[in-house]
């Protein structure tokens, strides 16, 4: 039996990058998938088509996950379509200002903090009643190594992801009695649209510093998400799982 046979997975920001790779891998593992997108409708349609090729069902749902009404509609659409919701992967890449602290305004900083946290907060509050009714579920948030290891100009992003990590651990504690696990997957640098503008030399340097001697592809992160989402994971909760090829061994 496949590790997600009969399960329904909702992935935010699944039109591209890590979310798209995760959506396809979840389908290979036997799940039906709700593919959330913000603006990339045709990319989301391609992900849906790949999932259908695996013999699973999928829907693409447009929603800005920073928006409360959109989150409500996204979760309701998923449950109405598939009749249940077993796994939430909160992955969408929320925009952030990339600049030094002394050049950043509070509005810029709080926009990222608020965007990241409002998204996770509302998504989790919306999915938990369905998971509870079904007797359990799995929540996986996608953080970043920058939550623990600062890098110049990433103060808004890193601080927001650090809040997300702690938030997920609180969920693990409170939702455990409902048989709902909550875990964090925390990637290092991954080759996606979000990082393709970065200098090639920097990527080469980082690959050389990484024990596995390469940078991550989106599929590498998807594999880690599956390891926590699958039915075989019944007891790991509140886990912070770094997926960085051994780049940060602290
Ligand atoms: P990406 O390739 O830039 O793709 C971003 C995805 O997020 C797209 O599907 C996009 O949808 C969606 N999105 C953006 N804003 C959204 C919104 N307001 N509502 C709904 N969807 C939205 O990103 P990625 O690199 O795969 O990153 C995915 C996650 O991994 C993020 O949480 C990111 O912080 C984390 N991460 C990435 C790296 C890295 O090096 N790439 C490292 C550590 C952590 P549309 O295309 O439809 O607009």
């Amino acid at each position: 039996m496949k590790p997600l046979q009969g399960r329904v997975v909702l992935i935010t920001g699944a039109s591209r990058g890590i979310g798209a790779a995760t959506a396809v891998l979840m389908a290979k593992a036997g799940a039906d998938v709700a593919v959330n997108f913000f603006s990339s409708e045709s990319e989301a349609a391609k992900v849906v088509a790949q999932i259908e090729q695996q013999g699973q069902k999928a829907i693409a749902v447009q929603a800005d996950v920073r928006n409360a009404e959109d989150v409500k509609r996204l979760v309701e659409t998923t449950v109405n379509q598939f009749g249940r919701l077993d796994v939430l992967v909160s992955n969408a890449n929320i925009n952030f200002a990339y600049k030094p602290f002394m050049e950043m305004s509070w509005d810029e900083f709080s926009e990222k903090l608020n965007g990241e946290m409002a998204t996770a907060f509302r998504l989790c509050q919306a999915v938990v009643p369905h998971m509870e009714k079904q007797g359990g579920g799995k929540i996986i948030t996608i953080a970043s190594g920058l939550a623990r290891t600062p890098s110049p100009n990433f103060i808004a992003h890193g601080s927001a992801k650090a809040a997300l990590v702690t938030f997920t651990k609180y969920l693990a504690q409170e939702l455990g009695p409902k048989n709902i696990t909550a875990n964090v997957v925390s990637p290092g640098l991954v080759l996606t649209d979000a990082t393709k503008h970065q200098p090639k030399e920097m990527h080469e340097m980082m690959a050389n510093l990484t024990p596995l001697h390469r940078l991550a592809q989106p599929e590498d992160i998807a594999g880690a998400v599956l390891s926590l989402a699958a039915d075989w994971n019944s007891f790991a909760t509140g886990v912070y799982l770094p997926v960085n090829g051994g780049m940060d061994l602290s």
Side-chain angles (χ1 to χ4, degrees):
M1 182 150 138
K2 292 182 174 179
L4 283 172
Q5 197 74 48
R7 300 298 185 193
V8 173
V9 181
L10 165 60
I11 307 173
T12 65
S15 47
R16 295 183 287 120
I18 293 168
T22 303
V24 173
L25 185 64
M26 295 292 196
K28 280 186 188 156
D32 294 331
V33 185
V35 174
N36 160 244
F37 68 98
F38 179 37
S39 56
S40 304
E41 187 168 8
S42 60
E43 277 85 349
K46 284 183 207 151
V47 175
V48 167
Q50 282 186 70
I51 290 170
E52 288 171 347
Q53 275 167 17
Q54 311 290 333
Q56 296 301 136
K57 296 191 190 109
I59 47 166
V61 189
Q62 196 285 331
D64 179 348
V65 291
R66 295 165 299 182
N67 178 286
E69 286 306 312
D70 281 22
V71 166
K72 194 164 169 270
R73 178 176 48 78
L74 173 61
V75 173
E76 278 172 6
T77 304
T78 304
V79 175
N80 289 342
Q81 180 73 25
F82 296 117
R84 56 188 296 127
L85 208 179
D86 301 284
V87 179
L88 166 69
V89 184
S90 184
N91 162 80
N93 196 12
I94 306 300
N95 281 344
F96 60 93
Y98 173 81
K99 51 172 73 171
F101 169 60
M102 290 306 289
E103 292 173 22
M104 188 169 299
S105 68
W106 171 248
D107 283 351
E108 288 170 324
F109 186 83
S110 60
E111 188 180 357
K112 170 65 179 179
L113 200 57
N114 192 42
E116 190 83 34
M117 288 313 301
T119 294
F121 184 98
R122 292 184 184 128
L123 276 166
C124 294
Q125 275 197 343
V127 300
V128 163
H130 299 289
M131 292 178 174
E132 188 176 4
K133 208 162 60 186
Q134 291 161 203
K138 297 198 162 69
I139 292 169
I140 296 159
T141 57
I142 308 298
S144 163
L146 296 163
R148 287 194 169 173
T149 308
S151 182
N153 300 328
F154 280 102
I155 188 166
H157 184 62
S159 302
K161 291 296 193 183
L164 182 67
V165 170
T166 301
F167 171 77
T168 308
K169 291 187 177 202
Y170 271 90
L171 292 190
Q173 185 182 57
E174 183 170 329
L175 302 178
K178 301 183 196 297
N179 194 32
I180 298 170
T181 61
N183 291 299
V184 182
V185 168
S186 192
L189 203 157
V190 187
L191 296 168
T192 68
D193 291 343
T195 54
K196 69 180 181 196
H197 63 279
Q198 294 171 342
K200 204 167 162 251
E201 303 72 47
M202 187 196 107
H203 283 185
E204 280 170 7
M205 187 192 73
M206 289 193 65
N208 284 333
L209 288 171
T210 301
L212 288 175
H213 270 299
R214 65 177 178 87
L215 298 180
Q217 296 292 338
E219 290 73 17
D220 293 310
I221 313 307
V225 174
L226 175 60
S227 73
L228 292 167
D231 285 355
W232 61 56
N233 170 35
S234 51
F235 212 55
T237 192
V239 167
Y240 175 86
L241 178 57
V243 187
N244 56 32
M247 173 71 167
D248 178 2
L249 294 169
S250 60

